[in-house]
Amino acid sequence: MSTPEIRTVANTVELAKEAAELFVWFGQQAIARSDRFQVALSGGSTPKALYSALASPEMSRQLDWDHVEFFFGDERCVPPEHEDSNYRLAHDGLFSPLKISADRIFRMYGEMDSPDEASRSYEDVLRNRFGVSAPDWPRFHLILLGLGDDGHTASLFPGTPALREETRLVVPSMSPKGIAQRLTFTAPLINHAEAVMFLVSGTGKASPVRDILEPRQHAEVPLPASLVKPEAGRLLWILDRGASAQLTMAKQQVVPHEE
Ligand code: 6PG
């Protein structure tokens, strides 16, 4: 398991820029190596600024978007046009501006009546696109993640059965806030990625960030995001000053962007 690479930037604008540059870099590497870039997007509101940065003329011309396959690490169980849909945020901020072809966008079917059926159908999509059968795991080039103030990531919430899943790729989950019913990648699927990148902004996340990156001895139950430990991949945390505020000074150094 690799040591987390922590990059602290000044603010949300710099966070989006750093994340966009890394997204493009990972994409260029993947396309050069395997002729495609299979990336899972995160949910919540933080990615909005990332999408805007990626869709900018300066950034968007740096990646061959026809070779990018978009997936989602979690979804709320709502229709795709719903204001809380993670797919809708990406559609409006990234897919539509860049005119991404629908046949390279693989959303979770949050609108299905049965979340279990929806999660199993998404597992089939993943196995098909990655060409792997159980017990092998799809290996994403990059998985983007956010962090909740309770330490959740994707839709892996504290105290839920999804945290203990060891064989399935995608499972239904329940959120204590907002849209309750969710679909989420499982921890083992995330941990099989080549690279995982957390994007975290704001002082409201400083406490879980510290608990995850600088755990105190004999900490109580680990937070869900602590389960993210890529077995053979890179783990990056891109933090703004607010999110890194409770880390030791050494980890708060604002770093210039480099690969
Ligand atoms: C979701 C997310 C969730 C999100 C965090 C951070 O569907 O809500 O996947 O894990 O990334 O809650 O959300 P913000 O970016 O809005 O702070």
Side-chain angles (χ1 to χ4, degrees):
M1 196 277 292
S2 55
T3 305
E5 302 167 50
I6 301 169
R7 297 181 183 199
T8 299
V9 294
N11 52 45
T12 51
V13 171
E14 288 304 310
L15 185 77
K17 181 173 179 293
E18 180 77 7
E21 289 176 352
L22 284 161
F23 183 106
V24 166
W25 184 82
F26 280 112
Q28 290 169 341
Q29 299 292 313
I31 291 167
R33 192 163 24 97
S34 49
D35 201 35
R36 62 184 178 174
F37 177 36
Q38 295 177 302
V39 55
L41 304 177
S42 61
S45 56
T46 302
K48 189 170 183 178
L50 165 62
Y51 298 155
S52 175
L54 285 171
S56 68
E58 178 216 353
M59 201 62 73
S60 59
R61 65 167 161 259
Q62 297 181 44
L63 194 58
D64 182 352
W65 297 97
D66 290 342
H67 288 77
V68 182
E69 293 180 11
F70 292 95
F71 300 83
F72 289 82
D74 74 321
E75 188 53 279
R76 292 82 182 275
C77 289
V78 294
E81 66 277 4
H82 191 284
E83 63 179 358
D84 288 337
S85 163
N86 290 336
Y87 162 80
R88 175 169 168 188
L89 189 77
H91 172 272
D92 294 352
L94 188 63
F95 302 153
S96 180
L98 292 181
K99 297 182 176 48
I100 303 292
S101 166
D103 63 8
R104 277 183 284 101
I105 300 169
F106 304 94
R107 68 178 184 86
M108 292 181 169
Y109 297 124
E111 68 275 26
M112 284 177 70
D113 290 339
S114 162
D116 190 58
E117 265 183 54
S119 59
R120 291 183 190 280
S121 76
Y122 202 68
E123 286 188 326
D124 293 343
V125 167
L126 294 181
R127 293 202 183 284
N128 175 270
R129 293 306 303 176
F130 284 81
V132 294
S133 308
D136 294 333
W137 296 85
R139 187 164 165 72
F140 281 86
H141 294 118
L142 177 64
I143 294 178
L144 297 175
L145 292 175
L147 180 71
D149 55 14
D150 60 354
H152 81 259
T153 192
S155 283
L156 297 168
F157 292 93
T160 58
L163 297 178
R164 295 188 297 278
E165 179 58 46
E166 294 182 351
T167 54
R168 288 185 58 181
L169 309 181
V170 182
V171 292
S173 180
M174 294 297 285
S175 166
K177 285 188 276 187
I179 303 289
Q181 190 69 63
R182 308 284 187 99
L183 305 173
T184 186
F185 277 9
T186 59
L189 175 58
I190 293 169
N191 287 332
H192 277 83
E194 289 184 12
V196 178
M197 182 156 75
F198 278 93
L199 306 183
V200 190
S201 168
T203 52
K205 312 289 177 73
S207 171
V209 163
R210 180 210 54 221
D211 290 348
I212 293 159
L213 294 179
E214 296 180 336
R216 287 159 291 190
Q217 294 304 323
H218 315 304
E220 50 281 4
V221 178
L223 296 175
S226 301
L227 297 174
V228 176
K229 298 184 173 74
E231 294 178 11
R234 288 179 68 176
L235 176 56
L236 295 99
W237 285 77
I238 317 300
L239 310 170
D240 69 5
R241 279 198 195 284
S244 68
Q246 295 185 26
L247 294 178
T248 56
M249 288 315 292
K251 293 210 175 85
Q252 291 188 37
Q253 297 312 312
V254 178
V255 297
H257 169 55
E258 79 281 340
E259 272 74 29

